[in-house]
Amino acid sequence: MIKRPVTPEQVRQIAEAVEREVGELGVDELASRRSASRCCPRLRALDTVAYVRFASIYRDFGDVEGVRPRAAGASQAGGVGRGA
């Protein structure tokens, strides 16, 4: 299995940016879907395949047809995994 070309540093940067945003909200709790939705644009810009994989889990798609629109939009947006 070939890993995605995303470094641990890039993942850390996304996590820290989302953590900062959530901290700025000033709330005690945040639904996991809300924090996950903050990760998606960053992950999509970084690697489209990783984005689709992540989105397919947190959005809980029931089948491939549910994933298709996200995958199509991701490939048009660019990122490392474009066309991969």
Side-chain angles (χ1 to χ4, degrees):
M1 175 184 262
I2 298 174
K3 290 189 166 229
R4 301 302 310 150
V6 178
T7 67
E9 175 63 19
Q10 291 170 309
V11 173
R12 185 186 62 74
Q13 289 173 353
I14 290 173
E16 287 178 355
V18 170
E19 185 177 21
R20 263 191 313 278
E21 280 184 15
V22 170
E24 291 170 1
L25 294 175
V27 296
D28 293 330
E29 285 187 30
L30 185 71
S32 60
R33 285 186 179 266
R34 287 190 62 199
S35 59
S37 69
R38 293 175 180 277
C39 292
C40 280
R42 293 171 173 91
L43 192 53
R44 183 178 181 179
L46 180 64
D47 182 77
T48 56
V49 173
Y51 159 74
V52 170
R53 287 178 178 175
F54 180 80
S56 71
I57 292 168
Y58 109 84
R59 292 187 187 267
D60 195 27
F61 295 119
D63 57 28
V64 172
E65 293 307 314
V67 176
R68 282 184 206 268
R70 293 281 174 195
S75 66
Q76 291 171 356
V80 172
R82 187 174 185 191

Short mmCIF file of all heavy atoms in Angstrom, two decimals, residues 26-82:
data_model
loop_
_atom_site.label_atom_id
_atom_site.label_comp_id
_atom_site.label_asym_id
_atom_site.label_seq_id
_atom_site.Cartn_x
_atom_site.Cartn_y
_atom_site.Cartn_z
N GLY A 26 -14.71 29.96 21.87
CA GLY A 26 -15.05 30.17 23.28
C GLY A 26 -16.15 29.26 23.80
O GLY A 26 -16.90 29.65 24.68
N VAL A 27 -16.25 28.07 23.25
CA VAL A 27 -17.27 27.13 23.70
C VAL A 27 -16.61 26.00 24.50
O VAL A 27 -15.43 25.71 24.32
CB VAL A 27 -18.07 26.54 22.53
CG1 VAL A 27 -18.86 27.63 21.82
CG2 VAL A 27 -17.18 25.82 21.54
N ASP A 28 -17.39 25.40 25.39
CA ASP A 28 -16.86 24.29 26.19
C ASP A 28 -16.87 22.97 25.42
O ASP A 28 -16.06 22.10 25.67
CB ASP A 28 -17.68 24.12 27.48
CG ASP A 28 -17.50 25.30 28.42
OD1 ASP A 28 -16.41 25.92 28.40
OD2 ASP A 28 -18.45 25.61 29.16
N GLU A 29 -17.84 22.82 24.54
CA GLU A 29 -17.96 21.60 23.75
C GLU A 29 -18.20 21.95 22.29
O GLU A 29 -18.79 22.98 21.97
CB GLU A 29 -19.14 20.76 24.23
CG GLU A 29 -18.89 20.04 25.52
CD GLU A 29 -20.03 19.09 25.86
OE1 GLU A 29 -20.68 18.56 24.93
OE2 GLU A 29 -20.26 18.87 27.05
N LEU A 30 -17.76 21.05 21.42
CA LEU A 30 -17.98 21.22 19.99
C LEU A 30 -18.22 19.83 19.40
O LEU A 30 -17.45 18.90 19.65
CB LEU A 30 -16.76 21.87 19.33
CG LEU A 30 -16.90 22.22 17.87
CD1 LEU A 30 -17.85 23.40 17.70
CD2 LEU A 30 -15.56 22.57 17.27
N ALA A 31 -19.28 19.69 18.65
CA ALA A 31 -19.58 18.41 18.01
C ALA A 31 -18.44 18.02 17.08
O ALA A 31 -17.85 18.88 16.41
CB ALA A 31 -20.89 18.50 17.23
N SER A 32 -18.15 16.75 17.04
CA SER A 32 -17.04 16.29 16.19
C SER A 32 -17.28 16.64 14.73
O SER A 32 -16.33 16.93 14.00
CB SER A 32 -16.84 14.78 16.35
OG SER A 32 -18.00 14.07 15.97
N ARG A 33 -18.52 16.66 14.29
CA ARG A 33 -18.81 17.03 12.90
C ARG A 33 -18.40 18.47 12.61
O ARG A 33 -17.96 18.79 11.53
CB ARG A 33 -20.30 16.86 12.59
CG ARG A 33 -20.68 15.42 12.42
CD ARG A 33 -22.13 15.31 11.96
NE ARG A 33 -22.48 13.92 11.79
CZ ARG A 33 -22.41 13.27 10.64
NH1 ARG A 33 -22.01 13.88 9.57
NH2 ARG A 33 -22.74 12.00 10.57
N ARG A 34 -18.56 19.35 13.59
CA ARG A 34 -18.18 20.75 13.38
C ARG A 34 -16.66 20.89 13.29
O ARG A 34 -16.15 21.67 12.49
CB ARG A 34 -18.74 21.64 14.50
CG ARG A 34 -20.24 21.83 14.34
CD ARG A 34 -20.80 22.86 15.24
NE ARG A 34 -20.23 24.17 14.98
CZ ARG A 34 -20.27 25.17 15.85
NH1 ARG A 34 -20.84 25.00 17.03
NH2 ARG A 34 -19.74 26.34 15.56
N SER A 35 -15.93 20.16 14.13
CA SER A 35 -14.47 20.25 14.04
C SER A 35 -13.98 19.58 12.76
O SER A 35 -13.06 20.07 12.11
CB SER A 35 -13.80 19.66 15.28
OG SER A 35 -14.14 18.31 15.46
N ALA A 36 -14.62 18.48 12.38
CA ALA A 36 -14.24 17.80 11.15
C ALA A 36 -14.49 18.69 9.93
O ALA A 36 -13.69 18.72 9.00
CB ALA A 36 -15.00 16.48 11.01
N SER A 37 -15.60 19.44 9.96
CA SER A 37 -15.89 20.31 8.81
C SER A 37 -14.87 21.43 8.69
O SER A 37 -14.66 21.98 7.61
CB SER A 37 -17.31 20.88 8.92
OG SER A 37 -17.40 21.79 9.98
N ARG A 38 -14.21 21.78 9.78
CA ARG A 38 -13.15 22.78 9.73
C ARG A 38 -11.86 22.20 9.14
O ARG A 38 -11.04 22.92 8.60
CB ARG A 38 -12.88 23.34 11.13
CG ARG A 38 -14.04 24.15 11.65
CD ARG A 38 -13.82 24.59 13.08
NE ARG A 38 -14.96 25.36 13.54
CZ ARG A 38 -15.13 26.65 13.31
NH1 ARG A 38 -14.24 27.33 12.63
NH2 ARG A 38 -16.20 27.28 13.75
N CYS A 39 -11.70 20.90 9.22
CA CYS A 39 -10.53 20.23 8.64
C CYS A 39 -10.65 20.09 7.12
O CYS A 39 -9.65 20.15 6.40
CB CYS A 39 -10.36 18.84 9.23
SG CYS A 39 -9.92 18.79 10.96
N CYS A 40 -11.86 19.88 6.65
CA CYS A 40 -12.07 19.53 5.24
C CYS A 40 -11.47 20.50 4.23
O CYS A 40 -10.78 20.05 3.31
CB CYS A 40 -13.55 19.31 4.97
SG CYS A 40 -14.08 17.68 5.51
N PRO A 41 -11.69 21.81 4.34
CA PRO A 41 -11.11 22.69 3.30
C PRO A 41 -9.59 22.62 3.26
O PRO A 41 -8.98 22.65 2.19
CB PRO A 41 -11.58 24.09 3.70
CG PRO A 41 -12.67 23.90 4.69
CD PRO A 41 -12.49 22.55 5.29
N ARG A 42 -8.99 22.50 4.42
CA ARG A 42 -7.52 22.43 4.47
C ARG A 42 -7.01 21.12 3.89
O ARG A 42 -6.04 21.09 3.14
CB ARG A 42 -7.05 22.58 5.92
CG ARG A 42 -7.30 23.94 6.49
CD ARG A 42 -7.00 23.94 7.99
NE ARG A 42 -7.08 25.28 8.52
CZ ARG A 42 -8.17 25.83 9.02
NH1 ARG A 42 -9.30 25.13 9.06
NH2 ARG A 42 -8.15 27.06 9.47
N LEU A 43 -7.67 20.03 4.25
CA LEU A 43 -7.27 18.73 3.74
C LEU A 43 -7.53 18.64 2.24
O LEU A 43 -6.71 18.11 1.49
CB LEU A 43 -8.04 17.63 4.48
CG LEU A 43 -7.57 16.21 4.30
CD1 LEU A 43 -6.08 16.07 4.61
CD2 LEU A 43 -8.38 15.27 5.17
N ARG A 44 -8.62 19.21 1.80
CA ARG A 44 -8.94 19.22 0.36
C ARG A 44 -7.87 19.95 -0.44
O ARG A 44 -7.48 19.51 -1.53
CB ARG A 44 -10.29 19.89 0.17
CG ARG A 44 -10.77 19.90 -1.24
CD ARG A 44 -12.14 20.56 -1.28
NE ARG A 44 -12.65 20.57 -2.63
CZ ARG A 44 -13.81 21.06 -2.97
NH1 ARG A 44 -14.60 21.58 -2.05
NH2 ARG A 44 -14.21 21.04 -4.21
N ALA A 45 -7.37 21.07 0.09
CA ALA A 45 -6.33 21.83 -0.60
C ALA A 45 -5.00 21.09 -0.59
O ALA A 45 -4.19 21.23 -1.51
CB ALA A 45 -6.16 23.20 0.06
N LEU A 46 -4.78 20.29 0.43
CA LEU A 46 -3.52 19.58 0.59
C LEU A 46 -3.46 18.31 -0.26
O LEU A 46 -2.49 18.07 -0.98
CB LEU A 46 -3.31 19.22 2.07
CG LEU A 46 -2.05 18.48 2.44
CD1 LEU A 46 -0.82 19.34 2.14
CD2 LEU A 46 -2.09 18.11 3.92
N ASP A 47 -4.51 17.48 -0.19
CA ASP A 47 -4.50 16.21 -0.90
C ASP A 47 -5.94 15.74 -1.11
O ASP A 47 -6.64 15.43 -0.15
CB ASP A 47 -3.72 15.16 -0.10
CG ASP A 47 -3.64 13.83 -0.82
OD1 ASP A 47 -2.85 13.71 -1.76
OD2 ASP A 47 -4.39 12.91 -0.43
N THR A 48 -6.38 15.71 -2.35
CA THR A 48 -7.78 15.41 -2.64
C THR A 48 -8.19 13.99 -2.26
O THR A 48 -9.31 13.77 -1.82
CB THR A 48 -8.11 15.67 -4.12
OG1 THR A 48 -7.24 14.91 -4.95
CG2 THR A 48 -7.98 17.14 -4.44
N VAL A 49 -7.30 13.04 -2.42
CA VAL A 49 -7.64 11.66 -2.06
C VAL A 49 -7.80 11.54 -0.55
O VAL A 49 -8.76 10.93 -0.07
CB VAL A 49 -6.58 10.67 -2.58
CG1 VAL A 49 -6.84 9.26 -2.07
CG2 VAL A 49 -6.55 10.68 -4.11
N ALA A 50 -6.91 12.14 0.19
CA ALA A 50 -7.03 12.12 1.66
C ALA A 50 -8.31 12.82 2.09
O ALA A 50 -9.00 12.37 3.00
CB ALA A 50 -5.81 12.78 2.29
N TYR A 51 -8.65 13.92 1.42
CA TYR A 51 -9.88 14.64 1.73
C TYR A 51 -11.11 13.76 1.51
O TYR A 51 -11.98 13.67 2.37
CB TYR A 51 -9.98 15.90 0.87
CG TYR A 51 -11.39 16.42 0.74
CD1 TYR A 51 -12.00 17.06 1.82
CD2 TYR A 51 -12.13 16.24 -0.42
CE1 TYR A 51 -13.31 17.53 1.72
CE2 TYR A 51 -13.42 16.71 -0.53
CZ TYR A 51 -14.01 17.34 0.54
OH TYR A 51 -15.30 17.79 0.44
N VAL A 52 -11.19 13.10 0.36
CA VAL A 52 -12.35 12.25 0.07
C VAL A 52 -12.43 11.11 1.08
O VAL A 52 -13.53 10.78 1.56
CB VAL A 52 -12.31 11.73 -1.38
CG1 VAL A 52 -13.38 10.65 -1.61
CG2 VAL A 52 -12.51 12.87 -2.36
N ARG A 53 -11.31 10.52 1.43
CA ARG A 53 -11.31 9.45 2.43
C ARG A 53 -11.84 9.97 3.76
O ARG A 53 -12.68 9.34 4.41
CB ARG A 53 -9.91 8.88 2.61
CG ARG A 53 -9.45 8.04 1.45
CD ARG A 53 -8.04 7.55 1.68
NE ARG A 53 -7.60 6.69 0.60
CZ ARG A 53 -6.38 6.21 0.51
NH1 ARG A 53 -5.47 6.52 1.42
NH2 ARG A 53 -6.06 5.43 -0.49
N PHE A 54 -11.33 11.10 4.20
CA PHE A 54 -11.76 11.69 5.47
C PHE A 54 -13.24 12.05 5.43
O PHE A 54 -14.01 11.70 6.32
CB PHE A 54 -10.91 12.93 5.78
CG PHE A 54 -11.26 13.60 7.07
CD1 PHE A 54 -10.80 13.11 8.27
CD2 PHE A 54 -12.06 14.74 7.07
CE1 PHE A 54 -11.12 13.74 9.46
CE2 PHE A 54 -12.39 15.37 8.26
CZ PHE A 54 -11.92 14.86 9.46
N ALA A 55 -13.66 12.74 4.37
CA ALA A 55 -15.05 13.17 4.26
C ALA A 55 -16.00 11.98 4.20
O ALA A 55 -17.10 12.03 4.75
CB ALA A 55 -15.23 14.06 3.03
N SER A 56 -15.58 10.90 3.56
CA SER A 56 -16.45 9.73 3.45
C SER A 56 -16.70 9.09 4.81
O SER A 56 -17.73 8.48 5.03
CB SER A 56 -15.87 8.70 2.48
OG SER A 56 -14.74 8.08 3.02
N ILE A 57 -15.78 9.27 5.73
CA ILE A 57 -15.96 8.73 7.09
C ILE A 57 -16.80 9.68 7.93
O ILE A 57 -17.81 9.30 8.50
CB ILE A 57 -14.61 8.47 7.76
CG1 ILE A 57 -13.90 7.32 7.03
CG2 ILE A 57 -14.78 8.15 9.24
CD1 ILE A 57 -12.46 7.15 7.41
N TYR A 58 -16.41 10.93 8.00
CA TYR A 58 -17.11 11.82 8.92
C TYR A 58 -18.49 12.21 8.41
O TYR A 58 -19.39 12.50 9.17
CB TYR A 58 -16.23 13.03 9.27
CG TYR A 58 -16.64 14.34 8.69
CD1 TYR A 58 -17.60 15.13 9.30
CD2 TYR A 58 -16.05 14.81 7.52
CE1 TYR A 58 -17.97 16.35 8.77
CE2 TYR A 58 -16.41 16.02 6.99
CZ TYR A 58 -17.38 16.79 7.62
OH TYR A 58 -17.73 17.98 7.09
N ARG A 59 -18.72 12.18 7.11
CA ARG A 59 -20.05 12.48 6.58
C ARG A 59 -20.91 11.23 6.49
O ARG A 59 -22.08 11.31 6.18
CB ARG A 59 -19.94 13.14 5.21
CG ARG A 59 -19.36 14.53 5.29
CD ARG A 59 -19.43 15.23 3.95
NE ARG A 59 -18.74 16.49 3.98
CZ ARG A 59 -19.32 17.65 4.24
NH1 ARG A 59 -20.59 17.69 4.52
NH2 ARG A 59 -18.61 18.76 4.24
N ASP A 60 -20.31 10.06 6.74
CA ASP A 60 -21.04 8.80 6.81
C ASP A 60 -21.87 8.52 5.55
O ASP A 60 -23.07 8.32 5.62
CB ASP A 60 -21.94 8.77 8.05
CG ASP A 60 -22.44 7.36 8.36
OD1 ASP A 60 -21.76 6.39 7.99
OD2 ASP A 60 -23.51 7.24 8.97
N PHE A 61 -21.22 8.55 4.39
CA PHE A 61 -21.90 8.25 3.14
C PHE A 61 -22.35 6.79 3.15
O PHE A 61 -21.61 5.91 3.57
CB PHE A 61 -20.98 8.48 1.95
CG PHE A 61 -20.58 9.92 1.78
CD1 PHE A 61 -19.26 10.31 1.84
CD2 PHE A 61 -21.54 10.89 1.56
CE1 PHE A 61 -18.90 11.62 1.68
CE2 PHE A 61 -21.19 12.22 1.39
CZ PHE A 61 -19.86 12.59 1.45
N GLY A 62 -23.54 6.54 2.65
CA GLY A 62 -24.07 5.19 2.64
C GLY A 62 -23.56 4.34 1.50
O GLY A 62 -23.52 3.12 1.59
N ASP A 63 -23.16 4.98 0.39
CA ASP A 63 -22.69 4.23 -0.77
C ASP A 63 -21.82 5.13 -1.65
O ASP A 63 -21.62 6.30 -1.35
CB ASP A 63 -23.87 3.66 -1.57
CG ASP A 63 -24.84 4.74 -2.03
OD1 ASP A 63 -24.43 5.91 -2.23
OD2 ASP A 63 -26.02 4.42 -2.20
N VAL A 64 -21.35 4.56 -2.74
CA VAL A 64 -20.45 5.28 -3.65
C VAL A 64 -21.15 6.50 -4.26
O VAL A 64 -20.52 7.54 -4.46
CB VAL A 64 -19.94 4.34 -4.77
CG1 VAL A 64 -19.18 5.11 -5.82
CG2 VAL A 64 -19.08 3.26 -4.18
N GLU A 65 -22.42 6.39 -4.52
CA GLU A 65 -23.15 7.51 -5.13
C GLU A 65 -23.12 8.75 -4.24
O GLU A 65 -23.10 9.87 -4.72
CB GLU A 65 -24.60 7.12 -5.45
CG GLU A 65 -24.71 6.08 -6.53
CD GLU A 65 -23.96 6.45 -7.81
OE1 GLU A 65 -24.09 7.60 -8.28
OE2 GLU A 65 -23.25 5.59 -8.35
N GLY A 66 -23.06 8.56 -2.93
CA GLY A 66 -22.97 9.68 -2.01
C GLY A 66 -21.61 10.34 -2.04
O GLY A 66 -21.47 11.53 -1.74
N VAL A 67 -20.59 9.59 -2.39
CA VAL A 67 -19.22 10.10 -2.41
C VAL A 67 -18.91 10.82 -3.73
O VAL A 67 -18.13 11.76 -3.74
CB VAL A 67 -18.22 8.94 -2.19
CG1 VAL A 67 -16.79 9.43 -2.32
CG2 VAL A 67 -18.44 8.28 -0.85
N ARG A 68 -19.53 10.41 -4.80
CA ARG A 68 -19.20 10.95 -6.13
C ARG A 68 -19.18 12.48 -6.21
O ARG A 68 -18.22 13.04 -6.74
CB ARG A 68 -20.14 10.38 -7.18
CG ARG A 68 -19.80 9.00 -7.60
CD ARG A 68 -20.72 8.55 -8.73
NE ARG A 68 -20.86 7.12 -8.74
CZ ARG A 68 -20.09 6.32 -9.46
NH1 ARG A 68 -19.16 6.83 -10.23
NH2 ARG A 68 -20.26 5.02 -9.42
N PRO A 69 -20.21 13.18 -5.73
CA PRO A 69 -20.15 14.65 -5.84
C PRO A 69 -18.96 15.25 -5.10
O PRO A 69 -18.33 16.19 -5.58
CB PRO A 69 -21.47 15.11 -5.22
CG PRO A 69 -22.36 13.92 -5.27
CD PRO A 69 -21.47 12.73 -5.16
N ARG A 70 -18.62 14.72 -3.94
CA ARG A 70 -17.48 15.22 -3.18
C ARG A 70 -16.19 14.93 -3.93
O ARG A 70 -15.30 15.77 -4.00
CB ARG A 70 -17.41 14.56 -1.80
CG ARG A 70 -18.53 14.94 -0.91
CD ARG A 70 -18.28 16.29 -0.34
NE ARG A 70 -19.44 16.69 0.41
CZ ARG A 70 -19.68 17.90 0.82
NH1 ARG A 70 -18.83 18.86 0.55
NH2 ARG A 70 -20.76 18.20 1.47
N ALA A 71 -16.07 13.74 -4.47
CA ALA A 71 -14.86 13.37 -5.20
C ALA A 71 -14.69 14.24 -6.45
O ALA A 71 -13.59 14.70 -6.75
CB ALA A 71 -14.89 11.89 -5.57
N ALA A 72 -15.78 14.49 -7.14
CA ALA A 72 -15.71 15.32 -8.35
C ALA A 72 -15.31 16.74 -7.99
O ALA A 72 -14.45 17.34 -8.64
CB ALA A 72 -17.05 15.32 -9.07
N GLY A 73 -15.89 17.28 -6.94
CA GLY A 73 -15.54 18.63 -6.51
C GLY A 73 -14.11 18.72 -6.04
O GLY A 73 -13.42 19.71 -6.29
N ALA A 74 -13.64 17.68 -5.38
CA ALA A 74 -12.27 17.68 -4.88
C ALA A 74 -11.27 17.65 -6.02
O ALA A 74 -10.26 18.35 -6.00
CB ALA A 74 -12.04 16.49 -3.95
N SER A 75 -11.55 16.86 -7.05
CA SER A 75 -10.59 16.78 -8.16
C SER A 75 -10.52 18.08 -8.94
O SER A 75 -9.49 18.44 -9.48
CB SER A 75 -10.93 15.61 -9.08
OG SER A 75 -12.15 15.83 -9.74
N GLN A 76 -11.62 18.83 -8.96
CA GLN A 76 -11.62 20.11 -9.64
C GLN A 76 -10.88 21.18 -8.82
O GLN A 76 -10.34 22.12 -9.37
CB GLN A 76 -13.05 20.59 -9.89
CG GLN A 76 -13.78 19.74 -10.90
CD GLN A 76 -15.25 20.09 -10.98
OE1 GLN A 76 -15.75 20.91 -10.24
NE2 GLN A 76 -15.95 19.42 -11.89
N ALA A 77 -10.84 20.98 -7.49
CA ALA A 77 -10.21 21.96 -6.61
C ALA A 77 -8.68 21.89 -6.64
O ALA A 77 -8.01 22.83 -6.27
CB ALA A 77 -10.71 21.78 -5.18
N GLY A 78 -8.14 20.76 -7.06
CA GLY A 78 -6.69 20.64 -7.09
C GLY A 78 -6.17 19.87 -5.89
O GLY A 78 -6.87 19.04 -5.34
N GLY A 79 -4.96 20.15 -5.46
CA GLY A 79 -4.35 19.41 -4.37
C GLY A 79 -3.44 18.34 -4.90
O GLY A 79 -3.46 17.99 -6.08
N VAL A 80 -2.63 17.77 -4.05
CA VAL A 80 -1.63 16.79 -4.44
C VAL A 80 -2.23 15.59 -5.13
O VAL A 80 -1.70 15.10 -6.10
CB VAL A 80 -0.82 16.32 -3.19
CG1 VAL A 80 0.09 15.17 -3.53
CG2 VAL A 80 -0.03 17.48 -2.64
N GLY A 81 -3.36 15.11 -4.63
CA GLY A 81 -3.95 13.89 -5.16
C GLY A 81 -4.75 14.07 -6.43
O GLY A 81 -5.39 13.16 -6.88
N ARG A 82 -4.73 15.24 -7.00
CA ARG A 82 -5.53 15.49 -8.20
C ARG A 82 -5.17 14.52 -9.31
O ARG A 82 -4.03 14.35 -9.69
CB ARG A 82 -5.31 16.91 -8.70
CG ARG A 82 -6.24 17.25 -9.81
CD ARG A 82 -6.10 18.69 -10.17
NE ARG A 82 -7.11 18.98 -11.19
CZ ARG A 82 -7.13 20.07 -11.86
NH1 ARG A 82 -6.23 20.99 -11.66
NH2 ARG A 82 -8.05 20.28 -12.77
#
